[in-house]
Amino acid sequence: MILIVDDKPENIYSLELLLKGKNFAVDTALSGEEALKKVLRNDYALIILDVQMPGIDGFEVAETLSGFSKSKDIPIIFLSAVNTDKKFITKGYASGGIDYITKPVDPDILLLKVKTFYRLYEQTLALNETQQTLRNEIEIRKKAQAELTERVNYLHLILESLPQIAFTANEIGEIDFVNDKWFSYATSATSFPLTHPEDPCIKEEWANAMLHHIPLELEVRIKEINEDSFRFHLLRIMPILENENISKWVGTFTDIDDRKLIEKKKDEFLSIASHELKTPLTSIKAYTQLLGRSAPPEKEYTFNKYVNKVQTQVSKLNSLVTDLLDISKIDNGKLRMNMQAFDFETLLANVIDTIYHTHENIAMKIERTGNSIEEPITADEIRIEQVLINYLTNAIKYAPNTDKIIINTSTDLNLLKIEVTDFGIGIPEHKQPDIFNKFYRVEETSLKFQGLGIGLYICSEIIRQHRGTFGLYSEVGKGSTFYFTLPLN
Ligand code: ADP
């Protein structure tokens, strides 16, 4: 809107007519005082100001306007009878656009100047708006930066108070903070402590984790700068996500050397104990067999009944000891597979026979579905038998009071898949990932069913050595399907 200020209504009228004719919005004031009041109340793009007015004259109005932040940028066109002292005008109104027109007003020149100032005003407005947006943006960024710095400082404070070695890195894995403890192990703040020559390279393992956007968990041996011996540490590097992108990594090295030592001692004890148990057990087995054959004829029935019971218990003990021996073989990397071609269908039939034979007192039927395997399989027959017996024994054990188990076999793209399904107690979903771990048993049911939690671990190791896969589908109360696959070639 344009404000026309003149004490003579006829002057105002002609100017108003001229400007309205060109579609400008116009407001008017008949004195300097009125003009000042209006300027404070409304927004004007331009003021056309008569210089000679009674009361406050045009120059004084301009000077007053220049003192208000609201009006200091409004352009002014002075109307004066004579070409008045321009220097005074410019001084009084230094920051605004200034021009003057002498009376009588030439309409063409006035319109030209009005248009120019109007455009100038619009541009100034746009510029101010952009500036304001920029200022807001800067404010927001400053605030975000301050918050981020505060969070980072807080994180560093926490990491500093940890008993572990701790560090953070940026999204591309450049270390940008290390706690005090770091310097007991590393000579520089940007490179990892020295690892044992036989251990995996931290940088390579982490690069791989970064590539897949996953946390890294690694057992490595590192040593204190002034020490000679390496100690086992668990290195964990977790990504921190912001808007689903990795913005940082936080890492810790936790000393697990004592725990590893205890684990090693336990493994050694198990290994020695199972070896030592095996020899007397083998003799007991042999002598009970001899005993069975030498029963006195008059007491043959009761005698054999008792000997059979001893034999069953001895063979249970034998399989426990064999499992423990297998565990120590796995721990020492000595579980070797003896690969030979054999007929899978014969093996399966034998396994089912054995299961019926060893579980005479249960009324479960083992159903066979899927296609029969015609081609010979190359694998360790005894070990595959062990896996099948383990899956089936579990299916019987963990499905009491049910009447069937299904064994399904299928082949697909050079792969043999064997599934054992029961309709028993099932396994909660959150426990399923751990089922094949060493000594793992589902807590809720562990008291009701006897076991050591090593059968499936041994199975997983056997299948792994055959380059096969294993897993399960299960629903609590409905049953479980345990499967494994073997490559056919
Ligand atoms: P064990 O049976 O001697 O405890 P396993 O290694 O064979 O050891 O099995 C580990 C755990 O997995 C078991 O303790 C049990 O909790 C669970 N499990 C295995 N098979 C089944 C199954 N068919 N149904 C339900 N739970 C099972």
Side-chain angles (χ1 to χ4, degrees), residues 132-314:
Q132 193 52 44
T133 320
L134 279 176
R135 244 180 254 129
N136 291 347
E137 181 80 2
I138 290 169
E139 275 312 307
I140 290 170
R141 280 180 190 215
K142 263 196 203 158
K143 211 168 148 218
Q145 186 66 39
E147 274 172 15
L148 191 71
T149 314
E150 200 175 309
R151 269 168 51 202
V152 167
N153 287 343
Y154 184 61
L155 174 69
H156 288 174
L157 200 74
I158 291 174
L159 295 184
E160 205 58 84
S161 67
L162 288 181
Q164 286 106 325
I165 305 169
F167 63 96
T168 63
N170 64 13
E171 69 279 16
I172 53 165
E174 289 163 347
I175 298 172
D176 53 17
F177 168 82
V178 294
N179 68 356
D180 250 5
K181 183 115 179 146
W182 175 278
F183 293 105
S184 310
Y185 291 79
T187 46
S188 126
T190 49
S191 48
F192 282 110
L194 186 73
T195 50
H196 191 279
E198 286 166 18
D199 287 349
C201 167
I202 296 177
K203 269 188 157 180
E204 277 172 26
E205 297 289 327
W206 189 19
N208 196 30
M210 256 188 256
L211 203 67
H212 296 97
H213 294 187
I214 51 169
L216 173 71
E217 212 167 272
L218 194 67
E219 283 185 7
V220 280
R221 277 165 291 180
I222 56 175
K223 71 177 189 71
E224 281 194 69
I225 292 171
N226 298 324
E227 295 286 334
D228 294 330
S229 56
F230 285 86
R231 287 178 69 82
F232 265 106
H233 281 72
L234 175 67
L235 166 63
R236 263 211 192 104
I237 313 182
M238 309 293 291
I240 294 184
L241 296 181
E242 247 171 64
N243 304 326
E244 294 183 14
N245 291 319
I246 294 176
S247 65
K248 226 172 176 41
W249 295 84
V250 180
T252 50
F253 285 91
T254 310
D255 191 329
I256 52 165
D257 206 64
D258 293 339
R259 198 189 84 199
K260 290 286 278 186
L261 205 70
I262 293 169
E263 257 175 41
K264 201 169 153 230
K265 288 219 163 104
K266 180 202 73 197
D267 289 344
E268 275 167 12
F269 169 75
L270 278 181
S271 167
I272 294 168
S274 45
H275 268 105
E276 293 301 316
L277 283 171
K278 192 78 188 171
T279 325
L281 204 56
T282 314
S283 344
I284 294 174
K285 222 172 141 185
Y287 282 117
T288 42
Q289 271 165 8
L290 282 179
L291 223 88
R293 280 184 225 141
S294 55
E298 69 280 10
K299 290 188 185 154
E300 201 180 313
Y301 177 73
T302 31
F303 194 88
N304 279 344
K305 205 172 96 184
Y306 293 151
V307 169
N308 272 345
K309 281 197 190 278
V310 174
Q311 277 176 343
T312 315
Q313 294 308 317
V314 168

Side-chain angles (χ1 to χ4, degrees), residues 394 397-398 422 427 435 440-442 451-453 455-456 480 482:
N394 278 351
K397 182 159 77 170
Y398 295 103
D422 65 60
I427 297 162
I435 283 294
Y440 187 83
R441 308 200 70 222
V442 175
L452 287 182
L456 288 179
S480 315
F482 279 79

Side-chain angles (χ1 to χ4, degrees), residues 320 323 390-399 420-428 431 434-446 449-459 472 474-475 479-482:
L320 276 177
D323 275 358
N390 219 307
Y391 274 27
L392 283 165
T393 314
N394 278 351
I396 293 171
K397 182 159 77 170
Y398 295 103
V420 175
T421 301
D422 65 60
F423 301 91
I425 60 169
I427 297 162
K431 307 256 162 150
D434 295 320
I435 283 294
F436 287 87
N437 289 350
K438 186 158 67 168
F439 298 122
Y440 187 83
R441 308 200 70 222
V442 175
E443 221 176 278
E444 292 87 333
T445 50
S446 61
F449 303 94
Q450 281 185 346
L452 287 182
I454 52 178
L456 288 179
Y457 171 67
I458 298 170
C459 292
L472 73 148
S474 184
E475 210 177 312
S480 315
T481 295
F482 279 79

Side-chain angles (χ1 to χ4, degrees), residues 9-181:
E10 61 275 19
N11 287 352
I12 289 191
Y13 179 72
S14 60
L15 286 177
E16 201 178 359
L17 210 64
L18 176 71
L19 295 174
K20 279 189 172 165
K22 294 292 172 194
N23 292 328
F24 287 107
V26 174
D27 195 5
T28 59
L30 282 165
S31 67
E33 290 88 343
E34 193 188 352
L36 287 175
K37 278 184 200 153
K38 284 201 162 182
V39 167
L40 290 181
R41 264 201 315 265
N42 309 321
D43 289 327
Y44 296 106
L46 171 68
I47 301 171
I48 299 173
L49 189 56
D50 184 24
V51 173
Q52 278 124 8
M53 287 186 294
I56 308 177
D57 70 14
F59 294 149
E60 285 166 320
V61 171
E63 207 174 342
T64 312
L65 289 181
S66 72
F68 300 142
S69 62
K70 181 168 188 267
S71 56
K72 70 181 173 21
D73 292 328
I74 307 176
I76 295 177
I77 298 174
F78 288 101
L79 301 178
S80 66
V82 283
N83 192 349
T84 333
D85 187 358
K86 261 168 64 188
K87 255 193 264 163
F88 174 75
I89 299 167
T90 321
K91 190 172 158 245
Y93 200 72
S95 50
I98 285 294
D99 208 338
Y100 68 93
I101 281 183
T102 46
K103 288 179 180 174
V105 172
D106 177 334
D108 289 337
I109 294 187
L110 180 72
L111 274 178
L112 206 71
K113 293 192 178 200
V114 165
K115 276 183 191 160
T116 310
F117 275 121
Y118 215 90
R119 211 176 308 126
L120 188 79
Y121 173 76
E122 278 172 344
Q123 280 168 358
T124 311
L125 270 192
L127 201 69
N128 284 348
E129 215 167 288
T130 317
Q131 260 178 353
Q132 193 52 44
T133 320
L134 279 176
R135 244 180 254 129
N136 291 347
E137 181 80 2
I138 290 169
E139 275 312 307
I140 290 170
R141 280 180 190 215
K142 263 196 203 158
K143 211 168 148 218
Q145 186 66 39
E147 274 172 15
L148 191 71
T149 314
E150 200 175 309
R151 269 168 51 202
V152 167
N153 287 343
Y154 184 61
L155 174 69
H156 288 174
L157 200 74
I158 291 174
L159 295 184
E160 205 58 84
S161 67
L162 288 181
Q164 286 106 325
I165 305 169
F167 63 96
T168 63
N170 64 13
E171 69 279 16
I172 53 165
E174 289 163 347
I175 298 172
D176 53 17
F177 168 82
V178 294
N179 68 356
D180 250 5
K181 183 115 179 146

